[in-house]
Amino acid sequence: MIQVLLRYVVLFTITLVVLCAMSFSLAYLFPGDVLENLTGISPQNEFQRAAIARQLGLEQNYFVQFYYYLERLLAGDWGYSSASGLPLLEEVSVALPATIELSTYAMFMAIVVGIPLGYYAGVKCYSTTDYTLNSLSITTYSFPVFWFALVLILVFSLQLDVAPISGRLSLLFDVESVTGFIMIDILLADNIDHGLAIRDALSHLFLPTVAIGAITTAAMVRITRRSVIDVMQRPYIAAARSRGLSSWQIFFRHVIRNALLPILPLMAIQITTLITNAMIVETLFSWPGIGNWLLQAIYQQDYPALRVGMLAVSALVVTLTIIVDLFNRLIDPSRDRFERGTI
Amino acid sequence: MAMLDIKNLTLEISEGDTTIKALDKVSLSVNSGEIRALVGESGSGKSLIVSAICGALPAKWKLTADRMSWNGENLLSMSTQQRREVMRRDIAVVFQNPQTSLDPSVTLGEQLEESIPEEFVKGQWFWQRAKHRKKIAISTMHKVGIKDHNTYLKSYPHQVPSDIGQKFMMAIALVAQPKLLIADDPTRGMEPTTKTQILKLLTRLNQTRALSVLFVSHDLLAIASMSHTMTVLYAGQTVESGKMKHIKKRPLHPYTKALLDSAPSFRKDLPPKSSLPTLKGSIPTLQHLPIGCRLGPRCPRAQRECVVTPSSRRIHDHIYSCHYPLHREVK
Ligand SMILES: Nc1ncnc2c1ncn2[C@@H]1O[C@H](COP(=O)(O)OP(=O)(O)OP(=O)(O)O)[C@@H](O)[C@H]1O
Ligand code: SF4
Ligand SMILES: [Mg+2]
C-alpha cells in the first residue's frame, strides 16, 4: 500500500519537474528578452537589469538558473504579466478555478447522465433502445464543440431567450472572489440575496456546461456500453447465470463493478478532452477562465503569462490523471497481480 | 426414468456464411443416482454440451433437439424464469476453467455465499442470517477440502492457487445441494492426493445423498473406477454409450476400443516396452469435418457405406453408432 503511494508520489514529482523544465525552456524559446520572459518586468536601466539578472542567476549555467526558477515557482513568485502588470499567481488563481468549476459541472453531467445511459444501453445491447442511444451518442460525439456551443447560444439565448449569452454572474450581484468558485463565493458573500444569486449563476452556467458536457457524456455512454457488453460476455457471468441468479442480482453483484473498472482510466483521458473543450467554449461565453485568459495573453504577446498558464494547465491535467489512476489502483483488487508479475 | 434426457441435440455454429454442426445428434441421459462419464478427445464438444445444458451458449448459435428435458419438463421451451429455477435448485455446474468462471472483483466468500439458496438460511434478522450463511459457507469449504477458510473467504480469485479455485467452484456448486452435478474436468491439473479427495467426495455424495453426476474428464482411470455409465463422444457425435462394465469388457465401436487400448491401465496382457496402439491421424477440426461417420478417415474398419452417417443402434441398454461394429465380422 505505502509502496504504491510512494510510487505515485515519485511519478507525480518527476512529471511536474519535467513540466517545469519545459516551461523554463519556453523563456528561451519565446522571442524577446529572456529576462523579461521570466519575470514580466522590463528593466528601466542597465543597473536594474544587472540586479535582476543576478537575482535570477542568469550569468550562471542553465541548471543553476532552473534551480532558481523552481525555487521561485515554489515560493509563489511566478512573475508579472507584461500586459496588466499584475502578479501572475494572482491572475491564474482567479482564472483557473473558473475553468475547474465549469469542467467539474460538465464532468458531473457526463457521469450522472452518461454512465447510467451507458449501462442501460449495454444491458439492452442490440435492441432498438440500444441502437437509438448509440446513434445519438455517436452524433453528439462528432459535434465540433465550437459549433455546438454556437448553436446552443443561437437557440437558447437568441431565439428562446432563456439563458444569458455571456459572463458568469449578473453585474447586479457584487460577489468578491475568495475561492474563485462562483457557487462557493456566492454562499460566502453576505450582503446579497443568495437564492437569487445562485439562480442567476446557474442560468449563466447552463449553456457552457451543456456545450462541454454533451460531448463527454456521449463519450461516456459509448465507453460504458462497450465495457458492459464485454463484461456480459465473460465466462463468470455465464457461470453466475447457471447458478440461477436473477438478471438483477447478476447486474448488481457482478456487472456494475467489473464494467466500471476499465472505464475509470478512460475517464481520465476524457478529463483532458474536457478541459480542452472548456477552454475553447470559455472564449465563446466570455467565461473568465484560463482558456479565455490564455487567449488574451496570446493576442497581447504576453509571454510570461503564456509560460505560467501552460504550466498551470498541464499541471492540473497531470494531477487529475494521476489521482484518477491512483483511485483506480486502490479499488481494483486484481491489479496487484500485474505489479507482482513485472520485473 | 432419466432425470436429464437429451436426444439428438444439434448445435449449429455459423461463422460468416458457413454453418458448422459442432454437435451432431448427440444423445445423453443421466438417471437419478448415477454417475455418468462423458469422454472424448479434446475438442470433441464436451464443454459445448455442458454449456448447452445450462443455457450458457450465445443466443446466435442454433440449438435444436428432439428432446431435452429435466424430470420430464422440456428445458428448451420453458420460460427463462422456470429455467433459472431449475438451475438454481436442481442442477449445479462446475465449468472447465475455474479461474475465468469466478468474478475477479468479488471475494470468494461472497461468491460462495450468494449461491446459498435463501431457504437454507435460518434466522429472522439479517445479522443472524449473515452468520448462518457464513456457517454454511465454511462447512461447505471444509467438505471440499479447503481447511484454511479464514484466509480464502476474504481472498480474490487471482490470489489463490488454481486447485483452491477448482475446489471453490466445487463448493459453489455443491452448496445449493443440487440433484445433478455437472463437473467439467474438475480435477484437471490437480495433484494425485487432491484429485483422490475430490473423486472420493463425489462418490460419497453419490452414495449418501443420491447425487447424480455428469462427469466430464480425460482421466480414464478415474472414470472407470467411479462411474456407472459412460458416453463416448467423437467430433461432436455420440459414438457409444452404455454401462461402464459392458463397455469396458466389450466395446462395440472402433473408436471406443482405440480409446480404451490407448490407456495402459486397461490392458492386462500388455507386454513390457510395447508401443501403445492408437488411431492414426488426429481429431478433425470443425472446419474440416468428413461427411458421414466422422471417424471415417481414421477408422481401421471403414468401408464404403461409412460416408452415410450411421444411425444409432441398441443392444439392451448399450447404444452405438457404427456400420461395422466390433461384434460383427467385416467381409
Ligand atoms: N466460442 C466458440 N466459437 C467457435 N467455436 C467454438 C467455440 N467454443 C468451442 N468451439 C469449438 O467447439 C469444439 C468443441 O469444443 P469444446 O470446448 O466443447 O471441446 P471439449 O471437448 O470440451 O475439449 P476439452 O477436453 O479440451 O475441454 C472445438 O472444436 C472448438 O473449436
Ligand atoms: S461407421 Fe464406419 S467409419 Fe464409422 S466407426 Fe463404424 S466402421 Fe468406422
Ligand atoms: Mg472442455
Side-chain angles (χ1 to χ4, degrees):
Chain A
M1 190 65 248
I2 292 175
Q3 235 184 354
V4 172
L5 278 179
L6 203 70
R7 191 176 306 159
Y8 275 87
V9 168
V10 170
L11 178 69
F12 182 59
T13 324
I14 292 178
T15 320
L16 281 191
V17 169
V18 170
L19 285 177
C20 290
M22 285 178 164
S23 114
F24 173 68
S25 68
L26 282 181
Y28 281 91
L29 297 175
F30 278 145
D33 187 9
V34 174
L35 187 139
E36 275 180 45
N37 285 346
L38 276 175
T39 58
I41 305 170
S42 14
Q44 304 301 324
N45 48 41
E46 277 311 306
F47 189 66
Q48 196 184 355
R49 166 176 282 276
I52 297 176
R54 199 168 331 111
Q55 204 186 344
L56 299 183
L58 279 187
E59 69 277 10
Q60 305 187 47
N61 66 25
Y62 290 138
F63 291 101
V64 179
Q65 289 180 32
F66 179 55
Y67 174 74
Y68 282 127
Y69 181 65
L70 276 185
E71 219 173 43
R72 269 176 292 126
L73 277 184
L74 286 179
D77 174 13
W78 290 12
Y80 293 86
S81 159
S82 60
S84 69
L86 291 173
L88 286 168
L89 178 61
E90 208 171 282
E91 294 219 325
V92 169
S93 61
V94 171
L96 202 56
T99 303
I100 296 180
E101 188 176 29
L102 198 57
S103 312
T104 311
Y105 299 140
M107 196 66 199
F108 184 71
M109 168 182 160
I111 290 173
V112 169
V113 180
I115 292 187
L117 279 183
Y119 270 111
Y120 189 75
V123 170
K124 301 254 175 251
C125 63
Y126 310 124
S127 67
T128 322
T129 337
D130 174 39
Y131 286 133
T132 320
L133 274 173
N134 206 10
S135 0
L136 267 180
S137 67
I138 292 180
T139 318
T140 318
Y141 189 65
S142 342
F143 287 157
V145 63
F146 201 79
W147 175 83
F148 186 56
L150 285 177
V151 169
L152 285 181
I153 292 179
L154 193 68
V155 174
F156 289 97
S157 302
L158 302 180
Q159 301 282 331
L160 301 175
D161 197 20
V162 289
I165 296 184
S166 71
R168 245 181 142 185
L169 192 61
S170 164
L171 292 175
L172 294 174
F173 301 101
D174 177 27
V175 174
E176 195 193 348
S177 169
V178 182
T179 57
F181 296 93
I182 193 79
M183 286 299 174
I184 302 175
D185 283 349
I186 288 177
L187 291 178
L188 288 179
D190 38 313
N191 47 9
I192 54 165
D193 181 340
H194 289 138
L196 276 181
I198 286 195
R199 202 167 315 146
D200 185 64
L202 282 179
S203 75
H204 278 89
L205 267 170
F206 172 66
L207 286 187
T209 307
V210 170
I212 305 164
I215 290 165
T216 310
T217 307
M220 283 301 183
V221 171
R222 289 164 50 68
I223 295 171
T224 316
R225 171 181 178 272
R226 188 68 257 161
S227 174
V228 170
I229 292 178
D230 277 350
V231 168
M232 299 279 277
Q233 283 168 351
R234 295 283 164 79
Y236 53 81
I237 298 297
R241 200 166 279 140
S242 78
R243 262 176 257 150
L245 268 60
S246 69
S247 314
W248 280 113
Q249 284 173 315
I250 291 177
F251 180 72
F252 282 112
R253 294 203 188 134
H254 300 293
V255 175
I256 289 197
R257 201 152 114 128
N258 284 304
L260 210 53
L261 290 177
I263 298 177
L264 283 170
L266 297 174
M267 252 165 82
I269 299 172
Q270 289 302 318
I271 290 178
T272 328
T273 325
L274 189 85
I275 291 180
T276 319
N277 282 345
M279 287 167 51
I280 296 172
V281 168
E282 273 169 10
T283 56
L284 289 175
F285 288 95
S286 317
W287 188 266
I290 193 88
N292 213 350
W293 185 77
L294 274 176
L295 206 69
Q296 297 305 324
I298 292 175
Y299 287 148
Q300 294 162 353
Q301 306 199 342
D302 186 349
Y303 295 122
L306 282 178
R307 169 178 58 80
V308 168
M310 280 167 165
L311 179 61
V313 172
S314 49
L316 174 71
V317 170
V318 167
T319 314
L320 288 176
T321 313
I322 287 192
I323 289 176
V324 173
D325 203 45
L326 177 65
F327 178 67
N328 188 25
R329 171 68 189 69
L330 294 184
I331 62 165
D332 183 358
S334 59
R335 273 183 61 180
D336 281 345
R337 185 180 27 179
F338 302 121
E339 259 150 43
R340 257 188 255 133
T342 51
I343 305 165
Chain B
M1 194 189 73
M3 282 167 102
L4 178 71
D5 193 1
I6 300 174
K7 188 146 199 281
N8 292 345
L9 176 80
T10 302
L11 175 69
E12 286 169 60
I13 300 180
S14 28
E15 269 167 42
D17 16 271
T18 53
T19 309
I20 303 161
K21 279 189 182 165
L23 295 176
D24 187 18
K25 297 205 175 133
V26 170
S27 298
L28 175 75
S29 66
V30 183
N31 290 324
S32 169
E34 85 174 352
I35 300 184
R36 175 168 296 260
L38 181 61
V39 244
E41 271 168 270
S42 201
S44 53
K46 303 182 296 293
S47 300
L48 289 179
I49 297 183
V50 172
S51 302
I53 296 172
C54 49
L57 290 175
K60 58 179 187 284
W61 293 2
K62 197 162 149 250
L63 186 72
T64 48
D66 289 353
R67 187 165 63 229
M68 183 160 165
S69 61
W70 171 253
N71 279 335
E73 287 172 67
N74 190 342
L75 279 173
L76 289 179
S77 65
M78 67 172 54
S79 68
T80 328
Q81 179 70 31
Q82 281 172 314
R83 177 98 188 226
R84 213 182 73 216
E85 199 55 23
V86 168
M87 293 310 299
R88 192 175 75 85
R89 291 297 297 117
D90 297 341
I91 306 180
V93 192
V94 176
F95 284 101
Q96 188 163 20
N97 198 337
Q99 300 294 6
T100 59
S101 308
L102 290 166
D103 184 337
S105 71
V106 179
T107 60
L108 291 170
E110 277 175 67
Q111 300 195 49
L112 178 54
E113 283 179 24
E114 78 177 10
S115 313
I116 305 173
E118 277 304 309
E119 55 268 32
F120 289 4
V121 189
K122 286 200 247 352
Q124 201 172 2
W125 301 99
F126 74 90
W127 61 86
Q128 294 173 322
R129 297 177 71 82
K131 210 167 149 201
H132 191 222
R133 205 172 272 134
K134 186 158 181 197
K135 215 176 107 201
I136 299 178
I138 291 175
S139 78
T140 316
M141 283 168 77
H142 288 170
K143 216 183 284 172
V144 297
I146 305 175
K147 290 190 195 75
D148 191 0
H149 56 257
N150 281 327
T151 330
Y152 292 130
L153 273 178
K154 286 192 214 65
S155 304
Y156 289 95
H158 67 272
Q159 294 170 326
V160 303
S162 71
D163 67 317
I164 297 286
Q166 280 167 303
K167 286 181 184 172
F168 245 102
M169 287 304 293
M170 200 66 123
I172 288 174
L174 291 175
V175 78
Q177 303 191 359
K179 298 196 178 68
L180 170 68
L181 174 73
I182 303 176
D184 193 349
D185 219 351
T187 56
R188 182 170 64 159
M190 277 188 178
E191 285 173 28
T193 43
T194 336
K195 185 150 80 184
T196 325
Q197 209 177 12
I198 293 289
L199 296 179
K200 270 197 184 136
L201 170 74
L202 289 184
T203 317
R204 198 174 63 236
L205 287 175
N206 174 255
Q207 282 158 1
T208 56
R209 289 243 210 91
L211 171 77
S212 312
V213 182
L214 178 61
F215 189 74
V216 181
S217 179
H218 290 275
D219 187 355
L220 275 177
L221 201 60
I223 289 170
S225 63
M226 67 183 278
S227 15
H228 309 127
T229 52
M230 167 151 112
T231 297
V232 184
L233 210 62
Y234 180 79
Q237 291 178 324
T238 26
V239 297
E240 186 164 9
S241 78
K243 286 229 164 58
M244 188 71 216
K245 56 176 189 278
H246 293 164
I247 294 184
K248 215 162 100 180
K249 203 161 77 198
R250 205 158 78 109
L252 295 181
H253 196 282
Y255 180 68
T256 319
K257 183 162 175 7
L259 199 67
L260 295 179
D261 283 348
S262 66
S265 40
F266 287 94
R267 303 279 305 264
K268 292 176 205 73
D269 52 344
L270 204 64
K273 288 195 178 171
S274 59
S275 63
L276 289 169
T278 43
L279 288 179
K280 57 182 186 299
S282 58
I283 188 166
T285 59
L286 285 183
Q287 286 73 25
H288 301 101
L289 288 175
I291 52 163
C293 176
R294 290 180 176 180
L295 187 64
R298 299 174 69 190
C299 181
R301 298 167 70 85
Q303 306 275 321
R304 189 180 297 148
E305 275 151 78
C306 297
V307 296
V308 180
T309 311
S311 56
S312 63
R313 290 162 221 201
R314 167 190 288 264
I315 305 176
H316 304 298
D317 47 7
H318 193 151
I319 305 168
Y320 61 93
S321 320
C322 176
H323 293 297
Y324 303 102
L326 295 170
H327 64 293
R328 208 180 307 153
E329 273 314 306
V330 181
K331 297 177 275 286

